[in-house]
Amino acid sequence: MFFSSGKQQVYQLFFIQIVLIIVMGALMTYGPEANVNLLKNRTGEHGRKHIKKPDTNPLLVYPMYQDVHVMIWIGFGFLMTFLRRYGQSAVGLTFLLGAILVQVAIICEGVMNIQKDNKSYLSLRSLLSADVAVATPLISMGALLGKTTYMQLVFMGIVELIMFTVNKYVGEHLLMTVDAGDSMFVHTFGAYFGLAISFVFGMKEKRKEHHLEGPSYNSDIFAMIGTIFLWLFWPSFNSAALEGDDQQRAIINTLLSISASCVIAFATSALVSKDSKFNMVHIQNSTLAGGVAIGTAAGMMCQPVGTLIVGALAGLLSVLGYKYITPLIQKHLKIHDTCGVHNLHGMPGILGGIFGALMAALATEASYDYSLYEIFPARAPNSETKLAEMRDNYGISAGLNRTAGQQAAYQLLALVITLGIAIVSGLITGLIMRVLICGSISEEQKFDDEAHWELEEESLQGSKIKESNSCSNDQLPMGHM
Amino acid sequence: MFFSSGKQQVYQLFFIQIVLIIVMGALMTYGPEANVNLLKNRTGEHGRKHIKKPDTNPLLVYPMYQDVHVMIWIGFGFLMTFLRRYGQSAVGLTFLLGAILVQVAIICEGVMNIQKDNKSYLSLRSLLSADVAVATPLISMGALLGKTTYMQLVFMGIVELIMFTVNKYVGEHLLMTVDAGDSMFVHTFGAYFGLAISFVFGMKEKRKEHHLEGPSYNSDIFAMIGTIFLWLFWPSFNSAALEGDDQQRAIINTLLSISASCVIAFATSALVSKDSKFNMVHIQNSTLAGGVAIGTAAGMMCQPVGTLIVGALAGLLSVLGYKYITPLIQKHLKIHDTCGVHNLHGMPGILGGIFGALMAALATEASYDYSLYEIFPARAPNSETKLAEMRDNYGISAGLNRTAGQQAAYQLLALVITLGIAIVSGLITGLIMRVLICGSISEEQKFDDEAHWELEEESLQGSKIKESNSCSNDQLPMGHM
Amino acid sequence: MFFSSGKQQVYQLFFIQIVLIIVMGALMTYGPEANVNLLKNRTGEHGRKHIKKPDTNPLLVYPMYQDVHVMIWIGFGFLMTFLRRYGQSAVGLTFLLGAILVQVAIICEGVMNIQKDNKSYLSLRSLLSADVAVATPLISMGALLGKTTYMQLVFMGIVELIMFTVNKYVGEHLLMTVDAGDSMFVHTFGAYFGLAISFVFGMKEKRKEHHLEGPSYNSDIFAMIGTIFLWLFWPSFNSAALEGDDQQRAIINTLLSISASCVIAFATSALVSKDSKFNMVHIQNSTLAGGVAIGTAAGMMCQPVGTLIVGALAGLLSVLGYKYITPLIQKHLKIHDTCGVHNLHGMPGILGGIFGALMAALATEASYDYSLYEIFPARAPNSETKLAEMRDNYGISAGLNRTAGQQAAYQLLALVITLGIAIVSGLITGLIMRVLICGSISEEQKFDDEAHWELEEESLQGSKIKESNSCSNDQLPMGHM
């Protein structure tokens, strides 16, 4: 086995950034909106009209991009600060990982979109896609939080983004399925990829309670910063890639779904907890399940009642998962899931994929009008006669003439393929992470910021005193508050 | 009396969400911007022009909506974390209450706007209105913080939103008054509704200092997260519902007013405190009073000097309120006001209503041009001859031909009616809350997260030690830091 | 010497706000976008077309303005909460200082832009400029954090904004140089102005370690709130003043540069720290250096590879600065730099200025097309024949016909002048601050919130116990966690 020392990990980190610079230099350039030369060429023909349409002013998507940006770094980063002695690592490693992976994601997308001049184009849209992609490995990180070195996470993230890109290409381009809010491609994929790694990590060791694996009073409040920013900006996450009426629906649907999941998560939490009190773990996570579950169908005509129901179900499922399923998985499958990503992203993601397939099965031209073919391009007619008017008026392209049922079947197929790719590639990644190159964390270092951070004498004393047997022994925990 | 147990409250919570789903299903559907079928019908006639106007791209309001969204959940939620042992409840109950009430507010507005097809339309604008409405019960919650069960707050919020809707309908539609930033309809209403409930709660019990009713070092910093996000996004709150030059003025006015109130709040705080130091309670709250006070007049031609003066007065009034008026009210009226909403929302709200009436009295066509009739629709001429040109060029509708003085009188009338409805309905709501169905909080449970949250052993020790008499007794408070 | 008492400082604060109201009243009014009368006049001629262009809808800049707004108060405010016992002052004094200085900055800009009617116009653009300007004194505050009274900071801020305005006028209007993201005018200026004051402060006293000058576990996490919001919204800071393709490039460039600086700051931090761990001070600050360093060139055609390299260099330089240069400066020049602004703003700002000059030297019409003359107005031709087509099609105005080399030389000149004005005016300001009118902080009061805040008994106990010699002595630091 080749465990790398701390110094080696540092060199690896420098090396990765240098490689990213070289690859980015070879591959990427500014896209038309950021390059007058390209813009002039494009507008010379038919592009000008497109550019002038007020809806496509590239700045209109910028606020949504920044909302997603906040979700990734503040949302994920602070959500994971709930551990009493791992807050700096939660927010710090999210920061580092995000900064590396956003570059990796830009390159992955760039590779899929190489232009005639052998370059790929950077635009606000590609930055947005990259942010969304980065959410995937950060979800996986939630399953592993506190149990890895930073280089293990970086390695995992790079591999995962490659597999994510492959899976998304299969789902979006080959199968022509829809996943506006990425219930399948981001949430389901990220959760099961991370759980598969956790399975590999758990195979050998004997699991026991770790004294640092719990919150403190203040760490629970820090975590709420993450929760609430995620909850607030989720409509942006689910709608940023859409346009027109689809986008408006996605905003409305996500708000309703995530509101219902919040209420039901509170209610279910009190139902399953002793003395009918709320449990912070549920509130920090399950309140968000409605955003995950409405993802695939976000742009569809779910109607308010449909979106509220799916949100409520997701909140219920998620809390029940924390209460009953996570302990089972840990006991029988030896899968330890630090943040419970199975309950926030895994199951609600699957629910979202299935709900999306259901809505696809119900979609008719009567209810969607031409918007049907904007949402489901594969359902557009392929015969010139039927297409002509819609193409001229609304810019609809020829499709595959799929029926509603066919589209629904493809949606389910994409979900199954996502699960398959996530689990298999996660297992392999986990095996490599265990034996190779990126170091590892010992049992005592787990869930402890000391593994990553040069802490001040002063801020360490809390944990030092832990080991002492002084008269003030019973106050130890205060050091973590 | 029918005090409900914890379990019963849980069932009530499930029940409410189920009712919301049913009512929402029966009443609400997507509005034209989110529904191509409706959009096509509307644009078939004269709507198309309207939709195409770049100013009315529905996405342009989205960033302001998200700012308001952040104010409601992060702003109010964290502002109320200042209590040393009630931070999880402050942010958690704001979260729950907001998620329920945003649905209630959508329904309330929906009921007022039923269309020909017996449905009400959802749009970004209705989500925005709902967020603004939700601020009202959250203000009332500030007066009651730490002294109620969550179901008492939910019950209060639902009743309050109904009365809020009635009052706003009277003010906006019957009296045709203006309240862009809702100084009257949200701030004044929410404050006096909450204070009326607190009056009812305080009638029987003998008030004494509670050992948990104070901040800790860190809770005061958490609260500043709320304060500053509120302060930053207040221009969005006051301007989101406006358009064109009114909106630009509202942004500028609010920024200036809230800046002046911030400076004067700091200065006044140091003036009335010992050793000329600042007091965190004042800084967390009174710095925001300028945003409340400019609300009604936000879109009017106050000029920078006018808006700075009203902001400065609001900051002064608010700090003096904390220092001198709150203790008086508590002593003589037995009204306990946990967050001091009377000083942040009550008095500055009244100031805002009066300032708005003053500005309305001063408004002339010379200074506003046609914009006068956009801001004060009731002042528009009702004779066809005078109206014709303005209608064609700027879309002004026929009004009531009110004079400036009449408009000002109506503004004051709306303020008085708001106070009346808030106080009377608050008293009745308070009486119902005391005797009925939603449980209650005992004296020992007050201001304590243990009443609502399943706290970890570890994070509880701080308060447990409180009761012990060990040698380290003098360090107890650290547990809260 | 005229040390003022606390009471006198309070009166000064009131006095300043009153003066601001009077000056604002005399000088400022609403600009055309917020005033229909002005708007009609302007659109009567050729303005209407301008106003109708969707790109110039004033609301499009609002979200970026709010991002910058968040950076100033949440970003700077929380970044400086890292000290264990100065968090309330960090966030509170940023709040106060910002609220005063945003008004001062509006007036400074107003004075430079007086219109024919002897008034200056307020608009969203002027609010945005004011926010950017306010960043300058807040950077200087970083060098002095914990060592001044609030009135010393206010006095410094007002003087600094005046000098900032002079320097920016010289750089932008006289020298016609470019500094889109203000690497020179804000970051370099603010850092060296603050360091010059710190030099004056340090001349007399003998420096020794202060027991409160360090972080606590939670204060380090609070600071990360500031860091991450700054990191996220930096693309808005660097691009908000631009338009069209330049703006798109500025967004992309800033994201790439700041991502690279984040990764390299982590790597370098682990490289120079013992046991290859990360150091929170580096992570809180140096991760942002890429945003500073790309500032001047943000809108230029740096290409992804160029922007990544400059970001990586900035991250490297910044961490090495913290590790090796700050101790040297403190030892030999007696300059104490609490937040290390020399490493985050000073050196990366100079790097940004030089990189901007380099990119200016490389700029050709071949790569920029007409956009060259939008970015570098001085390079536009001054002969009518060459200008005609570009003016008609793209609105390019006549310039000075500068060559690329000339433009680069002017850029370097602007950097040198910025350094000169900052240092000289900083030294003079520091001398005045030491002898005059604004009070001072004693050695024991340094880095302690007690100097400014009326702290509750309870939250003070942590520090009180510090002085006791009880059996629980070894737990003292917990009070700060």
Side-chain angles (χ1 to χ4, degrees):
Chain A
M1 280 195 265
F2 308 87
F3 291 130
S4 65
S5 73
K7 228 31 157 197
Q8 280 171 309
Q9 291 183 46
V10 176
Y11 299 142
Q12 290 166 2
L13 201 52
F14 276 109
F15 176 73
I16 287 171
Q17 183 60 57
I18 291 166
V19 171
L20 287 171
I21 292 176
I22 294 168
V23 176
M24 193 85 79
L27 183 67
M28 307 301 294
T29 188
Y30 303 114
E33 286 152 354
N35 184 341
V36 167
N37 281 316
L38 291 172
L39 190 68
K40 276 177 94 177
N41 291 343
R42 209 168 69 168
T43 53
E45 302 156 50
H46 52 281
R48 181 177 291 268
K49 201 187 69 196
H50 181 69
I51 296 302
K52 279 224 175 146
K53 258 175 66 185
D55 282 19
T56 55
N57 185 314
L59 270 193
L60 273 173
V61 84
Y62 186 75
M64 291 193 153
Y65 166 68
Q66 278 294 4
D67 291 351
V68 174
H69 220 45
V70 170
M71 291 175 77
I72 302 298
W73 277 271
I74 291 284
F76 280 102
F78 276 87
L79 181 56
M80 297 197 273
T81 57
F82 73 101
L83 291 173
R84 78 174 68 99
R85 199 72 197 167
Y86 205 66
Q88 300 187 357
S89 297
V91 72
L93 298 188
T94 302
F95 194 18
L96 169 62
L97 207 61
I100 296 174
L101 295 182
V102 80
Q103 299 175 64
V104 175
I106 286 173
I107 290 171
C108 284
E109 210 200 88
V111 169
M112 308 302 285
N113 291 292
I114 294 179
Q115 304 289 317
K116 286 173 288 192
D117 54 358
N118 286 322
K119 289 278 182 178
S120 245
Y121 291 160
L122 275 168
S123 68
L124 247 178
R125 288 268 168 205
S126 48
L127 301 191
L128 174 64
S129 300
D131 267 18
V132 170
V134 167
T136 318
L138 290 180
I139 291 166
S140 306
M141 173 180 161
L144 306 172
L145 191 72
K147 302 175 290 184
T148 67
T149 64
Y150 66 90
M151 272 312 297
Q152 285 181 311
L153 291 175
V154 170
F155 172 77
M156 176 200 78
I158 294 173
V159 174
E160 185 168 0
L161 279 179
I162 294 170
M163 297 315 299
F164 163 87
T165 307
V166 169
N167 181 58
K168 191 160 188 173
Y169 182 81
V170 170
E172 277 195 347
H173 289 88
L174 302 190
L175 303 181
M176 292 191 80
T177 56
V178 176
D179 197 12
D182 289 290
S183 301
M184 302 187 287
F185 303 148
V186 167
H187 296 289
T188 306
F189 190 95
Y192 288 95
F193 191 96
L195 292 169
I197 295 174
S198 200
F199 175 76
V200 176
F201 275 41
M203 285 194 306
K204 266 172 129 179
E205 58 186 80
K206 206 147 164 272
R207 183 74 205 164
K208 55 181 192 282
E209 275 301 302
H210 194 289
H211 71 286
L212 289 178
E213 200 189 349
S216 72
Y217 187 74
N218 278 333
S219 75
D220 262 338
I221 297 179
F222 276 121
M224 287 301 283
I225 298 174
T227 299
I228 293 186
F229 272 109
L230 285 169
W231 191 85
L232 293 172
F233 291 158
W234 215 291
S236 301
F237 189 91
N238 281 356
S239 72
L242 301 175
E243 285 187 10
D245 60 305
D246 312 6
Q247 188 172 40
Q248 297 292 312
R249 276 199 297 278
I251 294 168
I252 295 167
N253 285 340
T254 306
L255 182 92
L256 293 177
S257 176
I258 209 166
S259 295
S261 74
C262 176
V263 179
I264 293 299
F266 268 93
T268 313
S269 179
L271 190 71
V272 301
S273 307
K274 74 171 167 14
D275 300 334
S276 302
K277 293 180 179 180
F278 303 126
N279 182 305
M280 260 289 165
V281 172
H282 305 159
I283 302 315
Q284 284 158 2
N285 293 279
S286 301
T287 49
L288 304 168
V292 176
I294 197 65
T296 303
M300 303 183 197
M301 298 282 281
C302 313
Q303 289 301 342
V305 65
T307 192
L308 285 168
I309 289 171
V310 77
L313 286 178
L316 181 74
L317 186 66
S318 180
V319 174
L320 296 180
Y322 275 102
K323 184 73 184 180
Y324 302 110
I325 299 176
T326 295
L328 282 181
I329 289 176
Q330 181 160 340
K331 197 173 163 199
H332 297 297
L333 297 176
K334 302 256 165 68
I335 298 177
H336 179 261
D337 182 0
T338 313
C339 299
V341 300
H342 187 240
N343 310 303
L344 170 50
H345 302 277
M347 292 191 297
I350 293 177
L351 175 62
I354 294 170
F355 183 69
L358 177 68
M359 290 309 300
L362 298 173
T364 62
E365 206 185 297
S367 58
Y368 286 79
D369 205 281
Y370 68 87
S371 171
L372 182 70
Y373 308 116
E374 285 177 356
I375 298 178
F376 304 104
R379 294 202 54 192
N382 48 10
S383 69
E384 180 60 25
T385 41
K386 290 177 73 175
L387 192 67
E389 194 229 11
M390 280 192 296
R391 190 179 47 211
D392 295 349
N393 287 350
Y394 312 111
I396 307 290
S397 312
L400 304 175
N401 211 15
R402 270 191 204 156
T403 65
Q406 286 171 330
Q407 181 66 37
Y410 276 100
Q411 294 285 139
L412 290 176
L413 182 59
L415 179 59
V416 172
I417 289 174
T418 296
L419 279 167
I421 293 182
I423 291 170
V424 172
S425 60
L427 289 173
I428 296 168
T429 308
L431 285 169
I432 301 174
M433 280 166 74
R434 252 188 39 190
V435 296
L436 220 67
I437 61 169
C438 316
S440 68
I441 288 285
S442 68
E443 192 61 29
E444 311 86 62
Q445 289 177 303
K446 277 188 180 173
F447 312 112
D448 193 345
D449 275 331
E450 275 196 79
H452 295 298
W453 300 94
E454 215 181 42
L455 296 176
E456 289 262 322
E457 275 302 292
E458 194 130 13
S459 42
L460 275 179
Q461 295 207 6
S463 48
K464 276 184 192 158
I465 293 161
K466 195 140 228 144
E467 274 77 50
S468 77
N469 292 308
S470 73
C471 75
S472 48
N473 198 21
D474 51 349
Q475 287 177 301
L476 310 179
M478 296 201 300
H480 305 298
M481 276 182 256
Chain B
M1 281 195 263
F2 308 86
F3 290 129
S4 67
S5 74
K7 228 31 158 197
Q8 281 171 308
Q9 291 183 46
V10 177
Y11 299 142
Q12 290 166 1
L13 200 54
F14 277 108
F15 175 74
I16 287 171
Q17 182 59 56
I18 291 166
V19 170
L20 287 171
I21 293 176
I22 293 168
V23 176
M24 193 86 79
L27 183 68
M28 308 300 295
T29 188
Y30 304 114
E33 286 152 354
N35 184 341
V36 168
N37 281 317
L38 291 171
L39 190 68
K40 276 177 93 178
N41 292 343
R42 210 169 67 169
T43 53
E45 301 157 49
H46 52 279
R48 182 178 289 270
K49 202 188 69 196
H50 180 69
I51 296 300
K52 278 225 177 144
K53 258 174 65 183
D55 282 19
T56 55
N57 185 315
L59 270 193
L60 273 173
V61 84
Y62 186 74
M64 292 193 151
Y65 166 68
Q66 279 293 5
D67 291 351
V68 175
H69 220 44
V70 170
M71 290 175 77
I72 302 299
W73 277 270
I74 292 284
F76 280 101
F78 277 87
L79 181 57
M80 296 197 273
T81 57
F82 73 101
L83 292 172
R84 79 174 67 100
R85 199 74 197 165
Y86 207 65
Q88 299 188 358
S89 297
V91 72
L93 297 187
T94 303
F95 194 19
L96 169 63
L97 207 61
I100 295 174
L101 296 182
V102 80
Q103 298 174 65
V104 175
I106 287 172
I107 290 171
C108 284
E109 209 200 87
V111 169
M112 309 302 285
N113 291 292
I114 294 180
Q115 304 289 315
K116 284 173 290 191
D117 55 358
N118 286 322
K119 290 279 182 178
S120 245
Y121 291 160
L122 275 168
S123 68
L124 247 177
R125 289 268 168 205
S126 47
L127 302 191
L128 173 65
S129 299
D131 267 19
V132 171
V134 167
T136 319
L138 290 180
I139 290 166
S140 307
M141 174 182 161
L144 306 172
L145 191 72
K147 303 174 290 183
T148 66
T149 65
Y150 66 92
M151 273 312 295
Q152 285 181 311
L153 292 176
V154 171
F155 172 77
M156 174 200 80
I158 295 172
V159 175
E160 184 167 0
L161 279 179
I162 294 169
M163 297 314 299
F164 162 87
T165 308
V166 169
N167 181 57
K168 191 161 187 171
Y169 181 81
V170 171
E172 277 195 347
H173 290 87
L174 302 190
L175 304 180
M176 292 191 78
T177 56
V178 176
D179 197 12
D182 290 289
S183 301
M184 302 187 287
F185 303 148
V186 168
H187 296 288
T188 306
F189 190 96
Y192 288 95
F193 191 97
L195 293 168
I197 295 174
S198 200
F199 175 77
V200 176
F201 274 42
M203 284 193 307
K204 266 172 129 180
E205 58 188 78
K206 208 151 162 263
R207 183 74 205 164
K208 56 179 190 284
E209 274 302 303
H210 195 289
H211 72 287
L212 288 179
E213 201 188 349
S216 71
Y217 187 73
N218 278 332
S219 75
D220 262 337
I221 298 179
F222 276 120
M224 286 301 284
I225 298 174
T227 299
I228 293 185
F229 272 109
L230 285 169
W231 191 85
L232 292 172
F233 291 158
W234 215 292
S236 301
F237 190 91
N238 281 357
S239 71
L242 302 175
E243 284 187 13
D245 60 305
D246 312 6
Q247 188 172 40
Q248 298 292 313
R249 276 200 296 278
I251 294 168
I252 294 167
N253 284 340
T254 307
L255 182 93
L256 292 178
S257 177
I258 209 166
S259 295
S261 74
C262 177
V263 179
I264 294 298
F266 267 92
T268 313
S269 179
L271 189 71
V272 302
S273 305
K274 74 170 166 18
D275 300 332
S276 301
K277 293 181 179 181
F278 303 126
N279 183 306
M280 261 289 165
V281 172
H282 306 158
I283 302 314
Q284 284 157 4
N285 293 281
S286 301
T287 50
L288 304 169
V292 176
I294 196 64
T296 302
M300 303 182 195
M301 298 283 279
C302 313
Q303 289 300 343
V305 65
T307 192
L308 285 168
I309 289 171
V310 77
L313 285 177
L316 181 75
L317 186 66
S318 180
V319 174
L320 296 180
Y322 275 102
K323 184 74 183 182
Y324 303 110
I325 300 175
T326 295
L328 283 180
I329 290 176
Q330 181 159 341
K331 195 172 165 200
H332 297 297
L333 297 176
K334 301 258 164 66
I335 298 176
H336 179 261
D337 182 0
T338 313
C339 299
V341 300
H342 187 242
N343 310 304
L344 170 51
H345 302 278
M347 293 190 297
I350 292 177
L351 174 63
I354 294 171
F355 183 70
L358 176 70
M359 290 309 301
L362 298 174
T364 62
E365 206 185 296
S367 58
Y368 286 78
D369 203 281
Y370 69 88
S371 171
L372 182 71
Y373 309 116
E374 285 177 356
I375 299 178
F376 304 105
R379 295 200 54 193
N382 48 10
S383 69
E384 179 60 24
T385 41
K386 290 177 73 175
L387 190 67
E389 193 231 11
M390 280 193 293
R391 191 180 47 212
D392 295 349
N393 288 351
Y394 312 111
I396 307 291
S397 312
L400 304 175
N401 209 17
R402 273 192 201 153
T403 64
Q406 286 172 329
Q407 182 65 37
Y410 275 100
Q411 294 286 137
L412 290 176
L413 182 60
L415 179 60
V416 171
I417 289 174
T418 297
L419 279 167
I421 293 182
I423 292 169
V424 172
S425 61
L427 289 173
I428 296 168
T429 308
L431 284 168
I432 300 174
M433 280 166 74
R434 252 187 40 187
V435 298
L436 220 67
I437 60 170
C438 315
S440 68
I441 288 284
S442 69
E443 192 62 29
E444 311 87 62
Q445 289 177 301
K446 276 190 181 172
F447 312 113
D448 193 344
D449 275 330
E450 274 197 81
H452 295 298
W453 300 94
E454 216 181 42
L455 295 177
E456 290 262 320
E457 275 301 293
E458 195 130 13
S459 42
L460 275 180
Q461 294 207 7
S463 48
K464 274 184 191 157
I465 293 160
K466 195 140 226 141
E467 273 77 47
S468 77
N469 292 308
S470 73
C471 75
S472 46
N473 199 22
D474 51 350
Q475 287 177 301
L476 308 180
M478 297 201 299
H480 304 300
M481 276 181 256
Chain C
M1 280 196 264
F2 308 87
F3 290 131
S4 66
S5 74
K7 226 36 159 194
Q8 279 171 310
Q9 291 182 45
V10 176
Y11 298 142
Q12 290 166 1
L13 201 53
F14 276 108
F15 175 73
I16 287 171
Q17 182 60 55
I18 291 166
V19 171
L20 287 172
I21 292 176
I22 294 168
V23 176
M24 194 85 81
L27 182 68
M28 307 300 295
T29 187
Y30 303 115
E33 286 152 355
N35 184 342
V36 167
N37 281 316
L38 291 172
L39 189 68
K40 276 176 93 176
N41 292 343
R42 210 169 69 167
T43 53
E45 300 156 49
H46 53 281
R48 181 179 288 269
K49 202 188 67 196
H50 181 69
I51 294 302
K52 277 224 176 146
K53 257 175 63 186
D55 283 20
T56 54
N57 185 314
L59 270 193
L60 274 173
V61 84
Y62 186 74
M64 291 193 151
Y65 166 67
Q66 279 293 3
D67 291 351
V68 174
H69 220 44
V70 171
M71 290 175 76
I72 302 299
W73 277 271
I74 291 284
F76 281 101
F78 277 87
L79 181 57
M80 297 196 272
T81 58
F82 73 102
L83 291 172
R84 80 174 66 99
R85 200 72 197 167
Y86 206 67
Q88 299 188 358
S89 297
V91 72
L93 297 187
T94 302
F95 194 19
L96 169 62
L97 207 61
I100 296 174
L101 295 182
V102 79
Q103 299 174 65
V104 175
I106 286 173
I107 290 171
C108 284
E109 209 200 89
V111 169
M112 309 302 286
N113 291 291
I114 294 179
Q115 304 289 317
K116 285 174 290 193
D117 54 358
N118 286 324
K119 289 277 182 179
S120 244
Y121 290 160
L122 275 169
S123 68
L124 248 178
R125 289 268 168 204
S126 48
L127 302 191
L128 174 64
S129 300
D131 267 18
V132 171
V134 167
T136 318
L138 290 181
I139 290 167
S140 307
M141 175 182 162
L144 305 173
L145 191 72
K147 301 176 289 184
T148 66
T149 65
Y150 66 91
M151 272 311 296
Q152 285 181 311
L153 291 176
V154 171
F155 172 77
M156 175 201 79
I158 295 173
V159 175
E160 185 168 358
L161 279 179
I162 294 170
M163 298 314 299
F164 163 86
T165 307
V166 170
N167 181 57
K168 192 162 186 170
Y169 182 80
V170 171
E172 277 195 347
H173 290 88
L174 302 190
L175 304 182
M176 292 191 78
T177 56
V178 176
D179 197 12
D182 290 290
S183 301
M184 302 187 287
F185 303 148
V186 167
H187 296 289
T188 306
F189 190 95
Y192 288 95
F193 191 96
L195 292 169
I197 295 174
S198 201
F199 175 77
V200 176
F201 275 41
M203 286 194 305
K204 265 174 130 180
E205 57 188 78
K206 204 145 165 270
R207 182 76 203 162
K208 56 181 191 282
E209 274 301 302
H210 194 289
H211 73 287
L212 288 179
E213 200 189 348
S216 72
Y217 187 73
N218 277 333
S219 75
D220 263 337
I221 298 180
F222 276 121
M224 287 301 285
I225 297 175
T227 299
I228 294 187
F229 272 110
L230 285 169
W231 191 86
L232 293 172
F233 290 159
W234 214 292
S236 302
F237 189 91
N238 282 356
S239 71
L242 301 175
E243 284 187 12
D245 59 306
D246 313 4
Q247 188 171 42
Q248 298 291 312
R249 275 199 297 278
I251 294 169
I252 295 167
N253 284 340
T254 307
L255 182 93
L256 293 178
S257 177
I258 209 166
S259 295
S261 75
C262 176
V263 179
I264 293 299
F266 267 92
T268 312
S269 179
L271 189 71
V272 301
S273 307
K274 75 167 165 19
D275 300 333
S276 302
K277 293 180 179 180
F278 303 126
N279 182 307
M280 260 289 166
V281 172
H282 305 160
I283 302 314
Q284 284 158 2
N285 293 281
S286 302
T287 50
L288 305 168
V292 176
I294 197 64
T296 303
M300 303 182 196
M301 298 283 279
C302 313
Q303 289 301 342
V305 65
T307 193
L308 285 168
I309 289 172
V310 77
L313 285 178
L316 182 74
L317 186 67
S318 180
V319 174
L320 296 179
Y322 275 102
K323 184 73 183 180
Y324 302 111
I325 299 175
T326 294
L328 283 182
I329 289 176
Q330 180 160 343
K331 197 173 162 198
H332 297 298
L333 298 176
K334 302 257 164 69
I335 299 176
H336 179 261
D337 181 1
T338 314
C339 298
V341 300
H342 186 241
N343 310 304
L344 171 49
H345 301 279
M347 293 189 298
I350 292 176
L351 174 63
I354 294 171
F355 182 69
L358 176 69
M359 289 309 301
L362 297 174
T364 62
E365 205 185 299
S367 57
Y368 286 78
D369 204 282
Y370 69 87
S371 172
L372 182 71
Y373 308 116
E374 286 177 356
I375 299 178
F376 304 104
R379 294 202 53 193
N382 48 12
S383 69
E384 179 61 23
T385 40
K386 289 178 73 175
L387 191 66
E389 194 230 12
M390 280 193 294
R391 188 179 49 210
D392 294 350
N393 288 351
Y394 312 110
I396 307 291
S397 312
L400 304 176
N401 210 15
R402 273 191 201 154
T403 65
Q406 286 172 330
Q407 181 67 35
Y410 275 101
Q411 295 285 137
L412 290 176
L413 182 60
L415 178 60
V416 171
I417 289 174
T418 297
L419 279 167
I421 293 182
I423 291 170
V424 172
S425 60
L427 289 173
I428 296 167
T429 308
L431 285 169
I432 302 173
M433 281 166 73
R434 253 188 39 190
V435 298
L436 221 68
I437 61 169
C438 315
S440 67
I441 288 285
S442 68
E443 192 60 30
E444 310 86 63
Q445 289 178 304
K446 276 189 180 174
F447 313 112
D448 193 345
D449 274 332
E450 276 197 80
H452 295 297
W453 300 94
E454 215 181 43
L455 294 177
E456 290 262 320
E457 275 301 292
E458 195 131 12
S459 41
L460 274 181
Q461 295 206 6
S463 47
K464 275 184 192 158
I465 292 161
K466 195 139 228 144
E467 274 77 49
S468 77
N469 292 308
S470 74
C471 75
S472 48
N473 197 21
D474 51 348
Q475 288 178 300
L476 310 179
M478 297 202 299
H480 304 298
M481 276 180 253

